Amino acid sequence: LEMRAKALAGDSLDKLQHILPNAVLVESKDSAKTVLKDSKELAKGDIIHIREGEMLPCDGIMLMQGNIDTRSLSGESEPVAKNIGDEVLSGSIALDSFRYEVAKTYADSTMSNIIKLLEESLESKPQIQNLANTLSKHFSRVVLFIALCGFLFWWHYAGAQEALIIAISVVVISCPCALALATPIASVVGISRGFRQGVLFKKAKFLETLARCEVVLFDKTGTLTKGKLEVKKELELDFFRLFDKHRKKDFSGVSSGLEKSDFAKILLADFLSHFTHPISVAIKDFIKKSSAINKHILPQNLTLKEAKQTKERGIYGIYECANGEVLTILGGSLEYLQQQGINTDEAQKIALDFPQMSVFACAIKSTTQKTLNTPTNATQKITLDSPKVHLLFFLQDSLKPSAKELITSLKQAGKKILIISGDRQCVVKSIATTLGIKDYHSELLPNDKLEIIRAKKNAVMIGDGLNDILALQSAEVGIAMGGGYCVAIAQSDVVVLDSSLEGVGRAFEIAKSTYSRIKQNLIISLVYNALLIPLALCGFIIPLIAALSMSLSSLLVVANSMRK
């Protein structure tokens, strides 16, 4: 049974060790052909040709578009689309044939590191095992001393034969092996169970520490929330003097068949498609999801001449129309638009009602060029509309699924919950209120988080960002979300591979049940010895029954560790 328990845990490791391909096709230096190369000999910069169904041996950068299956790493059941320049991790399975460039060697890649961590964790020992080892260390001496005392007592009162039988019974019925098995078997089973459920404990001792923790601290962005801004509200303001006044006949076709606001959104969506900032992407996706907008494309008589991002939290672009009219589109914070001469008074008042959200404002200015009848034929720019904010988008990060359930379960388990975040006070307060968390800290720098962690005892830190590294390292247990930064994962003690809060909940549940079984095993062993050694010493148990009882105690401990 003991070997079976260890074998079940080792199966996960064996599968991992043989899951990565031994050799792959690598592009030769002249790119004329591919050669077969040992995966362990791959170097940075090598270009690998992966065929459909093959597993990626190393982390790298996509050179083509393709889809991958990441279930072995994150548990994500849906295929993940990757574009040129996207990062891919070893252990992923290719759903299409594609090429990618090696960014990390075989030994340094994600799956290799997971295998190393799992090997180390299976060999490590929790702190509670020190107690068991200390007890076991002196156990045999105590039992032999008790047996010797019993032998001398019964020799005096019942003769040497009876004394020898009782002494043998005392030695045989005692079971130090049950005491010694109490912790390691339960730990191995817990670590193996954790990995199968997407939770990697780097050392066995973190099972115990996590189970005994008193305070749980959460980072907000990417941990409690998705870390991705989404448009929650859209407002249209002052539409659109541009279309009501001063409209030239040859330009009217631009908005043909469209509402004025629809045209502005189409123009904005086209403009935002030239930027990769998360807010730009979120608003572009939001606009394109609108069925009314999705039917139309930007008119051909409009041409984008310039699109730039500024240092003042804003973007601007210039579109030219065939009739010479120029549209200048401005987007960004209200402060940026105000600096560009846009009237933001109305928008500022509206924004006060949504302090917990990020604001993206858009304004479109229309100008035309008129040739003056002068000797030099000079041109004059005429502004056709009053520059005001036309579109307002309010964005907010969304809570991850199961966030409320996790917080509720941790509270029921008697844990104290805190949020420590670098985000604005109003944003953090909104999240804390939604989750029913009374204690929260906002606008923190990494050193601020570190000071809060140091002031807490038996604290667990859960985070994923670069600003969480010091806190993760300093906490009793640092839990990193697998989708976070590699440095944060490296400094943590437990990794939730699928980055879900359900995974965090599983980590706590596995730690609690494993620690509970270790304590149960110790109690079984101690109670067994405390009850049966005195019975054997009094002569009520013969050596045969003692031998059966001793085996039974070990079976009980192992079976308790293995039960589901």
Side-chain angles (χ1 to χ4, degrees):
L1 285 173
E2 181 187 351
M3 291 301 294
R4 182 170 178 269
K6 290 182 177 178
L8 286 172
D11 283 347
S12 300
L13 188 57
D14 290 338
K15 288 176 184 177
L16 282 178
Q17 288 172 331
H18 295 94
I19 199 171
L20 293 173
N22 293 321
V24 289
L25 290 173
V26 179
E27 202 172 275
S28 60
K29 291 183 178 180
D30 57 7
S31 300
K33 59 180 180 178
T34 57
V35 294
L36 203 61
K37 189 172 182 179
D38 191 314
S39 298
K40 295 181 180 179
E41 295 178 358
L42 291 169
K44 290 182 182 180
D46 281 348
I47 297 175
I48 298 176
H49 287 236
I50 289 289
R51 291 169 291 193
E52 183 180 345
E54 289 186 337
M55 182 168 281
L56 280 59
C58 298
D59 296 357
I61 303 297
M62 291 289 285
L63 300 177
M64 301 171 60
Q65 289 185 333
N67 295 292
I68 60 172
D69 181 343
T70 62
R71 275 179 291 183
S72 58
L73 289 171
S74 65
E76 172 63 55
S77 57
E78 296 292 328
V80 179
K82 294 290 184 179
N83 296 313
I84 297 172
D86 286 351
E87 181 186 29
V88 287
L89 303 177
S90 64
S92 304
I93 297 173
L95 300 178
D96 310 301
S97 296
F98 56 78
R99 294 158 57 243
Y100 81 99
E101 182 180 337
V102 174
K104 293 182 181 178
T105 61
Y106 182 90
D108 294 331
S109 290
T110 299
M111 188 57 77
S112 296
N113 285 327
I114 288 176
I115 292 171
K116 290 174 191 174
L117 289 172
L118 190 57
E119 284 176 335
E120 292 171 2
S121 65
L122 288 172
E123 293 172 1
S124 64
K125 300 175 182 178
Q127 294 173 342
I128 198 171
Q129 187 165 344
N130 296 333
L131 172 62
N133 290 343
T134 302
L135 291 173
S136 301
K137 192 175 181 180
H138 304 293
F139 187 84
S140 298
R141 297 174 189 172
V142 172
V143 169
L144 289 173
F145 178 73
I146 291 172
L148 177 60
C149 292
F151 175 78
L152 294 173
F153 176 84
W154 286 106
W155 188 14
H156 178 71
Y157 285 99
Q161 180 176 337
E162 185 69 20
L164 187 60
I165 289 173
I166 289 173
I168 290 172
S169 295
V170 170
V171 171
V172 171
I173 205 167
S174 64
C175 190
C177 53
L179 198 60
L181 287 171
T183 301
I185 294 297
S187 298
V188 166
V189 171
I191 289 169
S192 175
R193 181 184 164 204
F195 180 74
R196 289 197 302 271
Q197 295 188 25
V199 180
L200 182 57
F201 292 89
K202 293 186 179 180
K203 290 185 179 179
K205 70 177 184 180
F206 299 131
L207 285 161
E208 177 189 353
T209 313
L210 191 58
R212 295 174 59 188
C213 76
E214 298 173 4
V215 182
V216 182
L217 302 100
F218 286 90
D219 173 47
K220 182 186 71 69
T221 307
T223 304
L224 289 172
T225 65
K226 295 177 181 178
K228 182 180 179 182
L229 289 172
E230 297 175 353
V231 177
K232 299 295 183 182
K233 189 173 182 64
E234 172 199 13
L235 291 174
E236 301 171 359
L237 309 176
D238 194 44
F239 266 116
F240 214 47
R241 298 185 188 185
L242 174 66
F243 290 90
D244 294 333
K245 297 180 181 179
H246 315 296
R247 174 59 54 216
K248 301 296 182 182
K249 185 176 180 181
D250 58 353
F251 188 69
S252 60
V254 165
S255 59
S256 178
L258 291 174
E259 293 293 332
K260 300 163 190 176
S261 60
D262 288 346
F263 168 72
K265 292 173 189 175
I266 291 171
L267 187 69
L268 179 60
D270 179 79
F271 175 54
L272 292 177
S273 65
H274 296 85
F275 300 94
T276 58
H277 190 281
I279 291 181
S280 299
V281 173
I283 295 173
K284 179 195 70 176
D285 292 343
F286 175 79
I287 293 173
K288 289 192 172 181
K289 284 178 183 176
S290 168
S291 58
I293 304 300
N294 208 28
K295 297 175 184 177
H296 301 282
I297 60 173
L298 193 71
Q300 293 183 353
N301 59 350
L302 274 179
T303 305
L304 179 65
K305 291 297 183 180
E306 191 173 3
K308 286 187 178 181
Q309 184 168 333
T310 71
K311 296 179 181 179
E312 295 86 13
R313 296 175 60 197
I315 51 179
Y316 77 90
I318 297 174
Y319 284 85
E320 287 187 0
C321 186
N323 70 343
E325 192 164 359
V326 176
L327 296 179
T328 301
I329 183 167
L330 298 164
S333 66
L334 290 171
E335 291 79 8
Y336 169 70
L337 264 65
Q338 193 172 27
Q339 291 173 8
Q340 304 307 309
I342 305 297
N343 186 338
T344 62
D345 293 344
E346 185 181 358
Q348 294 277 11
K349 291 177 182 178
I350 296 172
L352 292 175
D353 295 330
F354 306 95
Q356 74 279 15
M357 296 188 186
S358 299
V359 181
F360 179 92
C362 172
I364 301 175
K365 294 193 295 185
S366 175
T367 56
T368 187
Q369 293 182 346
K370 181 180 180 182
T371 304
L372 303 177
N373 294 322
T374 63
T376 58
N377 287 329
T379 59
Q380 179 184 10
K381 289 185 179 180
I382 303 172
T383 300
L384 297 181
D385 67 318
S386 175
K388 290 185 178 181
V389 174
H390 297 124
L391 289 170
L392 269 181
F393 295 91
F394 294 92
L395 302 96
Q396 191 175 31
D397 199 354
S398 299
L399 282 172
K400 281 187 176 180
S402 301
K404 289 185 179 180
E405 290 84 350
L406 174 62
I407 298 301
T408 301
S409 66
L410 290 175
K411 284 183 177 180
Q412 291 173 348
K415 314 293 185 188
K416 184 178 179 182
I417 313 297
L418 286 88
I419 297 178
I420 53 175
S421 174
D423 210 337
R424 292 173 296 151
Q425 197 268 347
C426 59
V427 176
V428 179
K429 181 181 179 180
S430 173
I431 294 295
T433 303
T434 303
L435 294 175
I437 298 173
K438 294 181 180 179
D439 296 323
Y440 58 89
H441 300 270
S442 58
E443 300 179 19
L444 299 177
L445 296 173
N447 285 334
D448 300 326
K449 292 186 177 183
L450 178 61
E451 292 303 318
I452 292 173
I453 287 285
R454 286 177 174 173
K456 306 294 180 183
K457 291 184 179 180
N458 296 328
V460 172
M461 173 66 193
I462 304 172
D464 76 327
L466 289 172
N467 61 340
D468 299 322
I469 294 171
L470 293 176
L472 288 169
Q473 191 176 31
S474 301
E476 289 288 322
V477 178
I479 300 179
M481 313 303 274
Y485 285 86
C486 293
V487 182
I489 293 171
Q491 297 300 325
S492 66
D493 307 311
V494 180
V495 180
V496 178
L497 296 174
D498 63 2
S499 295
S500 70
L501 291 178
E502 291 95 331
V504 174
R506 290 194 297 269
F508 278 95
E509 189 274 326
I510 290 167
K512 180 182 177 181
S513 63
T514 301
Y515 186 59
S516 177
R517 290 181 190 185
I518 289 173
K519 290 193 292 185
Q520 290 167 8
N521 290 345
L522 290 172
I523 291 170
I524 289 170
S525 177
L526 292 171
V527 169
Y528 163 84
N529 286 293
L531 290 177
L532 295 189
I533 288 177
L535 291 177
L537 190 60
C538 294
F540 297 131
I541 299 175
I542 63 172
L544 175 62
I545 301 301
L548 292 173
S549 298
M550 183 273 292
S551 299
L552 179 62
S553 68
S554 294
L555 288 170
L556 283 173
V557 166
V558 175
N560 185 53
S561 298
M562 292 176 62
R563 68 184 171 88
K564 293 184 180 179

